[in-house]
Amino acid sequence: MCLANGDIVLADFSNCSTTVVASYFTGFYDISQGDTDDTLYGIIENNLYLVNINTGFVNPLGSLTAIGFNGSLEINSLVKESTGILLGVNTDSPGELFRINVANMTATYLGNVGYGSAGDLTFFEGELYLSANQNRLIRVDINTPSNSVLVGTISGANGFSSVFGVVTIITQNPCSTNPTYELIATGGNDTAILDETNAQSTLNCTNITSSSIYGASEVASDIICSISLELEEDVTQNTAPTYCDVAVTQLNAIPDPINPLGSYSYLWTEQGSSVPLGNNASLPININSTTTYVCLITDSGRVAPDNVATATITVTINQPPTQPTLECWETATLNTITCSWEVSGTQPTAPTNLECWEMANFNTTSCSWEISGTQPTQPSIECWETTTFNTTTCSWVTIGTQPAQPNIECWETAVFNNITCNWEITGIQPNAPTNLECWETTSFNNTTCTWDIIGTQPTQPTIECWETATFNTTTCSWEVSGTQPTAPINLECWEIATFNNTLCSWEINGTQSIQPSIECWETTVFNSITCNWETSGTQPTAPTNLDCWETAAFNTTTCSWEVSGTQPTAPTNLECWQVATFNNTSCTWEITGIQPIDTRNVSIVLCEGETLTLDANSNIQNPTYQWNTNQQSATIAIENPGIYTVQATDGCYVEITNFTVTLYENPIIANIVSYNSSIIVSLENQSEYQYSLDGVVYQNSPVFTNIPNGVYTVYVRSYLCNFIITQEHLHFYIPQFFTPNGDGVNDYFAINDLEYYNNTQVIIFNRYGKLLFSAKNRSVKWDGTLKGKKLPSSDYWYLITIDGKEFKGHFTLKR
């Protein structure tokens, strides 16, 4: 069912519940079966849509083109006649019937039913029924629509009213060859069972939806009636079994549902062959190559084409690998589950407790262990050795050490006696020498095995020229005698006595120091105690309190100080504001003073297209002027914005004036738009501008609120300059509400000045899609009545078309 809020729901009348399968931004007037099990067609006047109930996607197919009919297509009922062909009826009387070709998007006029559609068409037991306005049920003659018959007015039951639709549903045995059908009427949020002979209704579901039901369509039985089939191997329940070498098993067919409406029949074949293999739910097989089987089941009690299902299963046969090479103790067995050879058997245990020289080798011929090996021969040994067999290393171990050779002198010889197993020593030391000198000693040399004589007579000492040396054999040493000549005395302080070893006598040398040079104020005297010249006297004191430009110099001729220097000349040609002062610290003249300069900043606005005069306006008497434009007058005329600077001076005092000139642009209207009841003016430039709709009363805001529809002249003027720009604007907006209470405020749903457009149409309808008001190519002023009767407070919907552009929405009528 399609609802007013745009939802499409799947209804289950057995428990009066619904499930949303798709949603759109607006409600469809009616829906019908699509050309596939998962699609529906939807209609809104002349616009056709395709809805996928699995994905919820809505695909607009476009606008229908009427054939044989010049009026407006306002179709609000729809039913599927055949694949790609639909039937639909216009909303108002006389209820034009159309055959819709989906592929060509055409609606061919078949004739007038005589009753305007309320919102639904359905086929029931071979007849076409229309839910018409005023709760009427019409049996439609498709071939001659004017022969359509009024069955009756659908009766109300327990509040059931406002019938928009009729739909055919299956209530019992939907999948059998003889299902039970019912005709269902929808009204508001309720549904009722309808008697097609007299239009009497029996309420079956109340408040089944949260929004009003606009239309309905039956669901194809294929969605709920089809059967499915799965094939599997009997033991493992595998749907793709794999075997090794050969498969001896059974295949089972498992249908869904398990219980048929009639009875299931089975037909097993190999894929690509029509030869039957079996006709039971199970098929025994014995194969040695990969084979694909096909099973076809048929439910004798189910309506075609949903009474059959087919499935395939492939049994894969893998060839086993080559049998492996075995040891003599092994056997190989083929595992048909893993399709591999399994090797078993264990090599016989090797013998233990062997002698260390023995070795066990496995004989693959006899498949047994053989022992070989001989103990090593005992070795020959010395008199001091013993031998033992070591089973760990499997060898003879000889132990024992020859007695150590004794330490002997160089004149001795040691020989081992194998009889006594001992060492024997022989030999005598040589005699020591005699008649040695007093300085000689003797020692035995074990290396040469002889006596060594060592020692040297003491060296004769070095003696002075006055000395003599004699060797004493008793003390075994040299003895020195003799005395040096006496040194001379009474020498001058500058003289030195030195002994000459060559002449073996004393020599005197030395010279008195030279008298030093002295200053004019000094005297000098030789001091024989210190053996030096001594100088005395002091230079005259240098003069003090000199000026910074004076210098003192000592004259060695007159032996006195002389002062010279002149103060620097004071500077001349000073400016009028300068003063010269002598600085004794830097010893220079310093010039101080700052030229008096007065700086002023002036901001001025230049109106666009005007000439502005700038005046220096100086307080200096008889000044000269210099502008940054190279002009030299007191005033200048300018036409462009920028920064202008003028300097006025009398040669001493200076005045500088900086003029900042800003261009005040004339307003330029970028666009004027209507937003709800407001007019909004946008400018290309921003500044202090004022706005008006009558050229008299101005405001600072560019937004005018609560403005009725109409053609207005918008005025924009500059605040500082005398300039006004105007532009006409057609103000159009759709009211959100109106209050027809006669107080003169919002008494009408009004849209004025539509005559300024080429082609306009305004349609107003209620929440159920009923047309309440329409107007073409003229202004709208609706007072909230239908045929003179006041409509209640509620939300109402509009569809406004202006030069091909559509505006959809709703507004509120408040009383």
Side-chain angles (χ1 to χ4, degrees):
M1 296 187 294
C2 57
L3 309 184
N5 64 0
D7 286 346
I8 296 177
V9 300
L10 180 66
D12 185 348
F13 293 115
S14 65
N15 56 17
C16 293
S17 64
T18 60
T19 302
V20 178
V21 296
S23 292
Y24 201 49
F25 74 90
T26 187
F28 292 106
Y29 292 174
D30 195 15
I31 54 177
S32 73
Q33 278 187 307
D35 294 324
T36 60
D37 293 343
D38 57 356
T39 58
L40 299 171
Y41 288 111
I43 190 74
I44 302 177
E45 293 185 344
N46 66 331
N47 295 305
L48 191 64
Y49 302 82
L50 183 65
V51 182
N52 189 307
I53 62 174
N54 285 338
T55 64
F57 180 72
V58 177
N59 180 26
L61 299 179
S63 299
L64 296 172
T65 301
I67 297 177
F69 180 72
N70 296 324
S72 298
L73 283 179
E74 297 178 356
I75 299 172
N76 72 343
S77 59
L78 202 66
V79 70
K80 179 180 177 182
E81 184 179 29
S82 60
T83 300
I85 303 298
L86 311 175
L87 295 174
V89 178
N90 256 4
T91 181
D92 290 331
S93 182
E96 298 88 349
L97 177 65
F98 297 93
R99 177 173 283 119
I100 299 170
N101 187 311
V102 177
N104 298 331
M105 290 299 291
T106 57
T108 301
Y109 174 61
L110 302 180
N112 296 334
V113 175
Y115 302 90
S117 169
D120 218 335
L121 282 168
T122 188
F123 282 102
F124 183 73
E125 295 183 347
E127 298 286 349
L128 179 63
Y129 289 89
L130 169 68
S131 171
N133 292 329
Q134 300 178 359
N135 297 351
R136 290 177 290 191
L137 181 64
I138 310 299
R139 185 166 56 249
V140 179
D141 187 332
I142 300 175
N143 296 324
T144 309
S146 60
N147 292 337
S148 300
V149 177
L150 171 65
V151 176
T153 300
I154 300 173
S155 64
N158 298 328
F160 182 70
S161 61
S162 301
V163 177
F164 279 176
V166 289
V167 65
T168 302
I169 66 169
I170 301 174
T171 58
Q172 294 182 10
N173 306 319
C175 302
S176 69
T177 56
N178 56 343
T180 301
Y181 294 94
E182 292 283 4
L183 190 62
I184 295 292
T186 62
N189 303 74
D190 308 325
T191 61
I193 299 174
L194 194 62
D195 188 335
E196 80 281 5
T197 63
N198 56 18
Q200 296 302 300
S201 66
T202 303
L203 191 67
N204 70 330
C205 288
T206 60
N207 293 320
I208 190 173
T209 60
S210 59
S211 183
S212 294
I213 305 168
Y214 274 8
S217 172
E218 61 270 22
V219 176
S221 62
D222 291 348
I223 297 177
I224 57 176
C225 293
S226 61
I227 62 176
S228 62
L229 178 65
E230 184 178 78
L231 305 181
E232 64 179 28
E233 192 270 338
D234 182 64
V235 177
T236 64
Q237 286 81 48
N238 198 325
T239 57
T242 300
Y243 286 88
C244 179
D245 195 28
V246 66
V248 180
T249 185
Q250 175 178 288
L251 303 180
N252 296 329
I254 303 173
D256 184 16
I258 292 294
N259 298 318
L261 295 181
S263 61
Y264 282 133
S265 61
Y266 299 85
L267 176 61
W268 292 86
T269 60
E270 283 190 17
Q271 191 174 57
S273 172
S274 59
V275 178
L277 300 178
N279 54 11
N280 295 318
S282 298
L283 177 69
I285 61 171
N286 186 342
I287 57 175
N288 58 10
S289 63
T290 299
T291 305
T292 298
Y293 295 92
V294 181
C295 182
L296 170 68
I297 63 168
T298 304
D299 185 351
S300 61
R302 193 175 299 268
V303 65
D306 301 321
N307 61 334
V308 296
T310 303
T312 62
I313 184 171
T314 299
V315 182
T316 302
I317 306 298
N318 294 323
Q319 296 303 317
T322 304
Q323 181 173 340
T325 303
L326 303 178
E327 300 291 345
C328 63
W329 59 83
E330 293 176 328
T331 57
T333 305
L334 180 65
N335 186 328
T336 59
I337 303 300
T338 62
C339 204
S340 62
W341 291 95
E342 295 181 350
V343 177
S344 61
T346 306
Q347 184 180 25
T349 305
T352 57
N353 299 322
L354 298 180
E355 297 294 342
C356 65
W357 58 82
E358 293 177 328
M359 180 179 297
N361 293 313
F362 193 80
N363 188 326
T364 56
T365 302
S366 63
C367 206
S368 62
W369 292 95
E370 295 179 349
I371 299 173
S372 60
T374 305
Q375 184 180 24
T377 303
Q378 182 173 344
S380 299
I381 58 175
E382 300 290 343
C383 64
W384 59 81
E385 293 176 327
T386 59
T387 183
T388 306
F389 193 79
N390 187 330
T391 57
T392 301
T393 61
C394 205
S395 61
W396 289 94
V397 177
T398 299
I399 59 174
T401 306
Q402 182 181 25
Q405 182 174 338
N407 294 326
I408 59 175
E409 301 294 343
C410 62
W411 60 82
E412 294 176 327
T413 302
V415 178
F416 191 80
N417 187 331
N418 286 317
I419 304 300
T420 61
C421 209
N422 289 314
W423 290 93
E424 295 177 350
I425 299 172
T426 58
I428 300 172
Q429 181 180 27
N431 293 327
T434 57
N435 297 323
L436 300 177
E437 296 291 343
C438 67
W439 59 79
E440 293 177 329
T441 59
T442 182
S443 62
F444 193 78
N445 187 330
N446 286 315
T447 301
T448 63
C449 208
T450 59
W451 289 94
D452 291 335
I453 298 173
I454 60 174
T456 306
Q457 183 181 23
T459 304
Q460 182 175 339
T462 302
I463 58 175
E464 299 294 342
C465 62
W466 61 83
E467 293 176 326
T468 57
T470 304
F471 190 79
N472 186 334
T473 60
T474 301
T475 63
C476 205
S477 62
W478 290 93
E479 294 179 351
V480 178
S481 60
T483 303
Q484 182 181 26
T486 302
I489 58 175
N490 297 325
L491 300 179
E492 295 293 340
C493 68
W494 60 80
E495 292 178 328
I496 298 173
T498 304
F499 192 80
N500 188 328
N501 285 314
T502 302
L503 302 175
C504 206
S505 63
W506 291 95
E507 293 181 347
I508 297 172
N509 52 52
T511 307
Q512 183 182 24
S513 60
I514 299 172
Q515 181 176 342
S517 300
I518 59 176
E519 299 294 340
C520 63
W521 61 82
E522 292 177 327
T523 59
T524 182
V525 177
F526 190 81
N527 187 332
S528 60
I529 304 299
T530 61
C531 207
N532 289 315
W533 291 95
E534 294 180 349
T535 301
S536 61
T538 304
Q539 184 181 24
T541 302
T544 58
N545 297 323
L546 299 179
D547 285 308
C548 64
W549 59 82
E550 291 179 326
T551 304
F554 193 80
N555 189 328
T556 56
T557 303
T558 61
C559 205
S560 62
W561 289 94
E562 295 179 350
V563 177
S564 61
T566 305
Q567 183 180 23
T569 303
T572 59
N573 298 324
L574 300 180
E575 299 291 344
C576 63
W577 61 83
Q578 293 176 325
V579 176
T581 305
F582 193 80
N583 187 328
N584 287 312
T585 302
S586 63
C587 207
T588 58
W589 290 94
E590 294 182 346
I591 298 172
T592 58
I594 300 173
Q595 183 180 21
I597 299 176
D598 181 18
T599 301
R600 294 176 297 171
N601 296 314
V602 180
S603 295
I604 300 178
V605 171
L606 173 64
C607 293
E608 185 176 357
E610 295 183 3
T611 300
L612 181 66
T613 299
L614 302 182
D615 190 342
N617 195 20
S618 174
N619 294 319
I620 301 174
Q621 296 294 323
N622 300 319
T624 60
Y625 301 94
Q626 181 63 51
W627 293 81
N628 61 348
T629 59
N630 290 326
Q631 294 168 280
Q632 295 178 342
S633 57
T635 61
I636 62 171
I638 64 168
E639 296 178 351
N640 297 312
I643 297 177
Y644 296 86
T645 302
V646 60
Q647 177 176 295
T649 181
D650 60 358
C652 184
Y653 295 99
V654 176
E655 286 181 349
I656 297 176
T657 304
N658 298 312
F659 295 93
T660 300
V661 180
T662 303
L663 178 64
Y664 193 82
E665 296 179 338
N666 293 330
I668 301 174
I669 297 176
N671 58 40
I672 304 173
V673 297
S674 295
Y675 180 75
N676 293 332
S677 63
S678 297
I679 297 177
I680 302 173
V681 183
S682 298
L683 302 181
E684 292 184 3
N685 46 358
Q686 299 297 325
S687 189
E688 297 179 355
Y689 301 124
Q690 293 183 320
Y691 306 84
S692 174
L693 292 180
D694 57 7
V696 178
V697 179
Y698 282 87
Q699 64 183 41
N700 293 329
S701 172
V703 179
F704 300 92
T705 58
N706 297 321
I707 306 300
N709 286 331
V711 178
Y712 293 89
T713 298
V714 177
Y715 298 80
V716 183
R717 74 179 182 184
S718 55
Y719 185 71
L720 299 177
C721 299
N722 186 21
F723 181 84
I724 298 177
I725 187 172
T726 62
Q727 182 174 315
E728 278 197 351
H729 173 63
L730 175 59
H731 178 47
F732 165 75
Y733 76 96
I734 302 171
Q736 300 300 304
F737 69 94
F738 74 109
T739 56
N741 53 15
D743 63 354
V745 180
N746 295 323
D747 282 337
Y748 299 95
F749 179 79
I751 302 176
N752 301 324
D753 301 306
L754 292 179
E755 59 270 14
Y756 284 94
Y757 298 96
N758 294 324
N759 189 10
T760 66
Q761 182 181 29
V762 178
I763 299 174
I764 299 175
F765 51 94
N766 65 10
R767 63 186 299 178
Y768 305 113
K770 181 176 182 61
L771 181 66
L772 306 177
F773 176 86
S774 65
K776 284 189 176 181
N777 298 325
R778 62 182 176 87
S779 296
V780 172
K781 193 175 182 180
W782 184 54
D783 60 0
T785 64
L786 178 64
K787 298 180 180 179
K789 182 180 179 181
K790 292 182 180 180
L791 296 176
S793 295
S794 181
D795 278 359
Y796 294 87
W797 276 255
Y798 60 80
L799 174 61
I800 301 174
T801 305
I802 300 178
D803 291 342
K805 183 177 181 182
E806 290 187 350
F807 302 87
K808 300 178 182 178
H810 61 89
F811 60 93
T812 302
L813 187 159
K814 298 181 180 179
R815 292 196 180 273

